[in-house]
Amino acid sequence: MSNSDFLLQNLNIAQRQAVSAPLAHTLVLAGAGSGKTRVLIQRMAWLIHTERQSPFQLLAVTFTNKAAKEMQRRLQQVLNIKPQALWVGTFHGIAHRLLRRHYAQAHLPAGFQILDNQEQYNMVRRVLKHTNLDEKEWPPRQVQSHINQQKEGGFYPEQVETGNGYHSQTLLKLYHHYHSLCQQSGLLDFADLLLRAYLLWRDNPELLAQYQQRFAHVLVDEFQDINPMQYRWLKLLAQHNRVFAVGDDDQSIYGWRGADLAHIHRFQQDFQPNQLVKLEQNYRSTGMILAAANGLIAQNRQRLGKNLWTQAGEGAPIYLYQAYNDLDEAGFIADKLQACATQYGGYQHCAVLYRVNAQSRVLEEALLKRNIPYRIYGGLRFYERAEIKDALAYLRLLAHVDDDLAYERVVNFPPRGIGKTTVETVRAHARRHGCSLWQATTALLGNAGLSARAGQALAKFQQLIQNLKQRDLTLDELAQTVIEQTGLIAYYQKKRGEKEEMRLENLAELVRACHQFSAQYEEDLPLLSAFLTHTVLEAGEAGQGTVQGVQLMTLHIAKGLEFPLVFLCGLEENLFPHQLALAELNGLEEERRLCYVGITRAMRQLYLSYAQARCLHGMESHSRPSRFISEIPIGVLEPVHLSSAHQTVYRNHNP
Ligand code: ATP
Ligand code: MG
């Protein structure tokens, strides 16, 4: 065996061809579970080991932080290098890393912060208020998505070309206002991260050249979900470098966020890949699971077309459970898990997948009732809980006092006698002078522009922040000091309810999270800012705690993962396919791809289920079974029959 043959072991011929492809652009286009990610990781090892490329010359981009961590872990196994040394991450994560390094060239303050979706929404509402526009006429969500679309297309307000119509002029005005508020507060939204990183390179040719030289190899997993901005960014970087792109057109599920399948075709034109490798052998799932997946996806018209096969044998049929209602469905899933998880290696190897986060609550309750451990990804994430957001807002002010959103959140929380009128005076001053709320506060305190009482309360608040800023503490000490000295802990202690107990526990957990983060942090970027970014960018996928339990997540998050036992629930018309998607052009095909992603996560056993009645967002609805069920070939699905006694038990849960 030659020195590098070990890297090609356990690969089939097509996979080997991809891993050992010549140093040129390469495209691997293949179905689910055919080893794309495995090939990408082996390719990195091959480049380092066989082609003698330095690990620092590699940039690997993947879609989720979970996937990035997995890549780092596996590379470390093969090559024994520190994962932090590698540039492996999501597009957003990498863009952020670049912006922190070169913040000045990107025209950003050193302590810039990231807005999550909800905060962006709040910011839009603030803009509407400033401009005296009615939210009914200008729904904030629509304005928000308009702004994001512009950014994804590469346009800041100055570049937007618009007609003279009132509607488009107003949207532009709102965008302008939003943008200047973000600028002033040093805040970036998700779309900003990508656009800024793109402009940073485009407008600084020397810097770009430095990175072009540095990253001789760029590897992209889940290429089908790349959006226009990411594609442009990649093109800019990879002019002289080699791109190794891996994707599956049948798994493109982010059309609603601007991802465009056409990029696979464009890549072929723009980069003229030297090799186009197709993989069709699936190593993940049983024949039955693949038959279901193949049958379903064959209903889509927009496909490059491929059929997965396996040597693994037929396996068990796919079971379909028709539930009386959502409680019954959850009860069924929890009972099954309890009965057979050990067969699949324990709870942590089992997953429950659903279309929308709101479905998780009933499932959680059913699991809790049976004492089944679980981990939930997404949903109301730890870092999105109100008390955690409050503590983080203080930390954000410490990183960057001009962060207006953070200021607004905590200026009078816990209550410290700063009334609405006072805050309105500060806002008005800030608007008049185009400055941040913090600066406005300083100015008003300086020129005695406030009543004595208001002035005193505000001065105390400023003093509090300034004192905290001056402390020289470790990150977890800082967090602890913040929750104590700002009065957050005392506020919840005074209330003494069960809810408050939980909030106090969460605050303590935050301090632990800070500790854990600092212990693992090895980069040379400022720790506090890095942590704050982590809470926005990585919070959703990190899950909570370290419980080894059943994994609950939406289908979108499940991409790229695999589990021996999978439950795919809520297969009802209007939920899955989702009614909003049905209203969109190509929406149904995207939903079907999402279902294909779900089915192909299963390795050995898949359960499908639907409920005849469901309570979601406080409303009960009755639905027909999803059309996707009928698109699965006959002979693959088998209904689950429960004894009538069993069904009665579930029915009794129904209020
Ligand atoms: P997805 O489209 O879902 O992201 P993928 O194409 O990236 O899937 P992988 O996750 O790389 O597929 O591989 C699926 C499973 O098959 C993994 O468990 C992987 O280890 C295994 N596998 C891949 N290739 C081989 C092989 N040649 N021999 C044995 N197992 C393999
Ligand atoms: Mg993969």
Side-chain angles (χ1 to χ4, degrees):
M1 187 160 59
S2 89
N3 197 13
S4 48
D5 276 359
F6 79 98
L7 290 172
L8 300 178
Q9 262 181 356
N10 304 324
L11 295 176
N12 66 33
I13 295 173
Q15 290 175 331
R16 282 180 196 193
Q17 187 194 340
V19 169
S20 61
L23 296 185
H25 299 313
T26 306
L27 176 63
V28 178
L29 210 52
S34 60
K36 293 183 300 296
T37 303
R38 185 173 171 133
V39 160
L40 185 122
I41 291 169
Q42 288 306 98
R43 171 70 170 178
M44 289 172 80
W46 174 271
L47 288 172
I48 297 167
H49 198 271
T50 312
E51 299 284 359
R52 301 269 162 228
Q53 305 290 303
S54 151
F56 308 110
Q57 286 179 288
L58 270 47
L59 171 68
V61 195
T62 156
F63 220 78
T64 60
N65 294 299
K66 203 171 156 79
K69 293 242 159 64
E70 177 62 15
M71 263 186 197
Q72 290 179 332
R73 195 186 62 79
R74 282 163 71 172
L75 275 173
Q76 204 180 2
Q77 254 176 10
V78 185
L79 294 162
N80 202 14
I81 14 181
K82 267 193 173 176
Q84 288 86 355
L86 297 163
W87 277 66
V88 175
T90 60
F91 274 105
H92 287 101
I94 287 168
H96 168 256
R97 199 162 166 182
L98 281 169
L99 294 174
R100 283 264 175 243
R101 285 185 176 220
H102 308 287
Y103 65 89
Q105 274 166 293
H107 310 291
L108 290 169
F112 74 85
Q113 297 300 319
I114 320 291
L115 291 177
D116 67 17
N117 272 326
Q118 186 58 39
E119 290 165 328
Q120 184 187 32
Y121 173 80
N122 295 345
M123 191 67 138
V124 168
R125 292 190 62 191
R126 208 171 136 209
V127 169
L128 286 165
K129 220 161 150 201
H130 278 193
T131 36
N132 287 324
L133 287 172
D134 186 356
E135 287 194 8
K136 284 204 195 77
E137 212 177 322
W138 301 93
R141 289 263 172 240
Q142 279 174 27
V143 177
Q144 180 181 12
S145 96
H146 172 79
I147 290 174
N148 288 341
Q149 262 170 22
Q150 295 296 338
K151 288 189 187 174
E152 271 150 22
F155 306 111
Y156 274 129
E158 298 75 31
Q159 286 96 40
V160 175
E161 286 181 15
T162 170
N164 290 328
Y166 170 70
H167 189 79
S168 51
Q169 283 292 331
T170 310
L171 279 176
L172 180 60
K173 189 171 90 181
L174 290 170
Y175 185 16
H176 256 295
H177 202 108
Y178 170 86
H179 188 56
S180 61
L181 272 184
C182 286
Q183 287 271 89
Q184 192 181 293
S185 301
L187 294 170
L188 296 187
D189 55 42
F190 288 145
D192 256 333
L193 279 173
L194 298 173
L195 180 51
R196 288 275 178 149
Y198 170 76
L199 295 176
L200 170 72
W201 278 350
R202 194 199 66 183
D203 300 340
N204 296 281
E206 273 174 27
L207 192 72
L208 174 63
Q210 205 179 308
Y211 279 98
Q212 283 173 332
Q213 210 169 14
R214 166 160 186 182
F215 297 126
H217 303 276
V218 184
L219 302 100
V220 189
D221 200 359
E222 311 274 3
F223 189 79
Q224 75 277 359
D225 279 323
I226 196 164
N227 77 21
M229 204 61 231
Q230 293 164 341
Y231 187 77
R232 280 165 76 176
W233 189 76
L234 196 66
K235 237 181 114 184
L236 201 59
L237 173 67
Q239 245 153 20
H240 315 292
N241 324 31
R242 285 98 179 197
V243 180
F244 190 89
V246 166
D248 176 6
D249 58 307
D250 287 333
Q251 293 186 70
S252 158
I253 53 174
Y254 281 96
W256 55 282
R257 261 203 214 159
D260 189 355
L261 258 185
H263 287 126
I264 294 188
H265 299 291
R266 208 166 299 153
F267 181 80
Q268 287 175 287
Q269 283 161 14
D270 291 349
F271 289 81
Q272 305 269 329
N274 184 293
Q275 300 242 356
L276 171 66
V277 183
K278 290 193 176 170
L279 311 173
E280 291 199 323
Q281 180 171 1
N282 173 293
Y283 290 91
R284 177 180 293 148
S285 312
T286 63
M288 285 285 191
I289 293 168
L290 289 187
N294 283 334
L296 176 91
I297 202 68
Q299 308 293 320
N300 270 5
R301 284 156 169 256
Q302 299 168 7
R303 301 185 65 208
L304 300 174
K306 51 188 149 33
N307 225 14
L308 289 170
W309 60 276
T310 177
Q311 281 178 335
E314 291 262 280
I318 294 167
Y319 292 111
L320 174 67
Y321 182 63
Q322 172 189 333
Y324 172 70
N325 60 18
D326 48 350
L327 298 173
D328 176 24
E329 182 185 50
F332 168 77
I333 293 173
D335 280 352
K336 270 284 165 229
L337 279 164
Q338 201 162 36
C340 63
T342 37
Q343 222 176 302
Y344 298 93
Y347 287 130
Q348 72 270 30
H349 296 291
C350 307
V352 185
L353 310 179
Y354 37 84
R355 178 66 182 84
V356 300
N357 277 316
Q359 286 171 262
S360 72
R361 193 184 55 80
V362 177
L363 291 163
E364 278 186 81
E365 280 166 12
L367 295 170
L368 278 172
K369 201 177 272 168
R370 291 163 184 77
N371 274 327
I372 300 177
Y374 66 89
R375 267 185 92 151
I376 182 158
Y377 296 85
L380 185 58
R381 306 156 182 181
F382 179 71
Y383 291 111
E384 287 173 1
R385 288 164 202 261
E387 65 280 11
I388 300 299
K389 281 251 160 199
D390 294 332
L392 290 175
Y394 280 108
L395 289 174
R396 278 166 59 159
L397 274 182
L398 298 183
H400 187 64
V401 282
D402 293 324
D403 186 332
D404 280 359
L405 276 191
Y407 180 106
E408 290 258 14
R409 184 164 187 114
V410 294
V411 63
N412 194 40
F413 191 82
R416 49 174 68 91
I418 301 176
K420 276 197 180 125
T421 341
T422 313
V423 179
E424 196 38 61
T425 315
V426 178
R427 283 194 202 115
H429 185 95
R431 269 203 300 275
R432 252 196 327 275
H433 294 83
C435 65
S436 70
L437 297 173
W438 181 267
Q439 288 163 1
T441 309
T442 314
L444 286 167
L445 289 174
N447 66 14
L450 295 159
S451 73
R453 243 183 60 197
Q456 237 170 24
L458 265 182
K460 237 169 110 184
F461 172 67
Q462 265 210 332
Q463 201 60 50
L464 170 73
I465 301 296
Q466 266 154 353
N467 285 345
L468 286 167
K469 252 172 96 82
Q470 279 157 12
R471 305 286 293 269
D472 187 21
L473 301 170
T474 61
L475 184 60
D476 47 315
E477 286 167 352
L478 183 66
Q480 183 66 38
T481 314
V482 160
I483 59 179
E484 280 169 16
Q485 300 205 351
T486 59
L488 278 174
I489 291 193
Y491 176 81
Y492 291 121
Q493 273 172 344
K494 238 186 336 209
K495 296 207 155 182
R496 285 165 178 253
E498 213 172 289
K499 248 195 189 147
E500 281 71 32
E501 269 310 308
M502 222 168 67
R503 292 184 195 273
L504 287 168
E505 273 169 31
N506 285 338
L507 287 172
E509 182 62 36
L510 176 68
V511 176
R512 275 194 291 278
C514 285
H515 179 75
Q516 211 173 37
F517 184 82
S518 345
Q520 288 167 356
Y521 192 68
E522 295 197 8
E523 285 193 50
D524 50 355
L525 307 171
L527 183 60
L528 176 57
S529 290
F531 175 71
L532 289 169
T533 304
H534 161 82
T535 65
V536 182
L537 284 188
E538 288 173 43
E541 293 153 24
Q544 283 155 42
T546 46
V547 186
Q548 293 268 320
V550 177
Q551 313 214 29
L552 268 62
M553 66 191 91
T554 62
L555 289 150
H556 280 98
I557 293 184
K559 191 162 84 150
L561 307 179
E562 58 188 21
F563 309 91
L565 174 62
V566 170
F567 291 85
L568 178 50
C569 61
L571 275 157
E572 293 132 40
E573 279 297 298
N574 294 328
L575 176 58
F576 194 23
H578 198 276
Q579 58 186 23
L580 291 179
L582 287 176
E584 305 219 335
L585 185 71
N586 303 326
L588 176 62
E589 295 218 342
E590 181 150 317
E591 291 289 297
R592 196 177 278 116
R593 290 193 292 267
L594 192 57
C595 188
Y596 173 84
V597 168
I599 292 174
T600 53
R601 296 312 95 199
M603 299 165 81
R604 285 164 53 198
Q605 182 67 65
L606 174 66
Y607 279 89
L608 304 179
S609 58
Y610 66 92
Q612 288 162 305
R614 177 177 301 279
C615 206
L616 261 190
H617 308 296
M619 293 219 310
E620 194 181 54
S621 62
H622 294 261
S623 313
R624 282 174 296 128
S626 167
R627 70 189 77 188
F628 297 151
I629 294 176
S630 59
E631 291 172 0
I632 292 176
I634 296 168
V636 173
L637 271 185
E638 208 165 275
V640 177
H641 296 291
L642 293 180
S643 68
S644 53
H646 199 77
Q647 286 228 344
T648 322
V649 175
Y650 293 134
R651 279 174 194 228
N652 285 345
H653 291 320
N654 193 23

